Every structure is written in C-alpha cells, then in structure tokens.
Amino acid sequence: MTDIFRPMAPRDLASRSTLTNQSVAMNLLHQHNRFMIDAEQAKAEGIAQAFRHASSQADARWMDMESLLLRAAPIDNASGEIEATMIAARRKAGKVRT
C-alpha cells in the first residue's frame, strides 16, 4: 500500500504550536546541532566512544524535537480506510486483478 504524503510548510507547523513548544523545539534543535558538531570533531580525532556518545545524544534530541512538532500537526490515521476505498474503486473499474 502507498501513503499519500502531504507536506506541511514549516510556517504552518510552527503556527500550530504554542510559543513554549516553539522555543522548546528551537532549543532541542540547537542541542542537536551542538552534539553533531561534537560527533564530527570526535570522528576526526578518531575517538570512537566520544563519537558514539555524541551521535546518540544528537539522535535523542532530534527524536524529541520531532515528536514535539508532530504532536502539533494533524495526523490522518484513516489512511488504511482510504487505501481500501481506492482499491475497491479500482477493482470495480476492472483495474485490479485478484
């Protein structure tokens, strides 16, 4: 099955968040960027443990920011029903072989 992806403009996504959530998301983004810089430096110096630590911390900050922002976006959980309706319409038209 395929999903119909409708991207949301960053301005629209930000407008759905409260000012507190917007500032928290920006803080998490800055933390992510800082950890990525640390990871790049550790990789260049050949310190594997520091690289793994910094990259895992960056991933954690990114996931936190992503979940915070996605809670503000409307998520359509009916994609399976939409897909089933589309397949039924195609089957009725004779375009789907069973």
Side-chain angles (χ1 to χ4, degrees), residues 75-85:
I75 304 297
D76 181 15
N77 292 328
S79 62
E81 294 173 11
I82 293 170
E83 189 74 23
T85 304

Side-chain angles (χ1 to χ4, degrees), residues 42-85:
K43 186 176 182 179
E45 294 171 5
I47 307 170
Q49 184 176 1
F51 170 73
R52 284 193 301 271
H53 172 72
S55 60
S56 67
Q57 290 296 320
D59 288 344
R61 297 312 182 275
W62 186 265
M63 294 298 290
D64 290 343
M65 181 187 64
E66 194 175 67
S67 66
L68 178 74
L69 291 175
L70 287 178
R71 273 187 251 131
I75 304 297
D76 181 15
N77 292 328
S79 62
E81 294 173 11
I82 293 170
E83 189 74 23
T85 304

Side-chain angles (χ1 to χ4, degrees), residues 3-72:
D3 288 329
I4 300 170
F5 178 68
R6 293 181 186 91
M8 181 179 286
R11 182 179 299 125
D12 295 338
L13 184 61
S15 69
R16 295 175 187 268
S17 297
T18 63
L19 290 176
T20 304
N21 285 349
Q22 290 176 17
S23 63
V24 169
M26 289 303 296
N27 187 2
L28 288 169
L29 179 62
H30 291 302
Q31 288 180 32
H32 165 77
N33 291 339
R34 182 69 239 169
F35 279 116
M36 286 304 293
I37 291 169
D38 292 345
E40 290 173 5
Q41 288 174 347
K43 186 176 182 179
E45 294 171 5
I47 307 170
Q49 184 176 1
F51 170 73
R52 284 193 301 271
H53 172 72
S55 60
S56 67
Q57 290 296 320
D59 288 344
R61 297 312 182 275
W62 186 265
M63 294 298 290
D64 290 343
M65 181 187 64
E66 194 175 67
S67 66
L68 178 74
L69 291 175
L70 287 178
R71 273 187 251 131

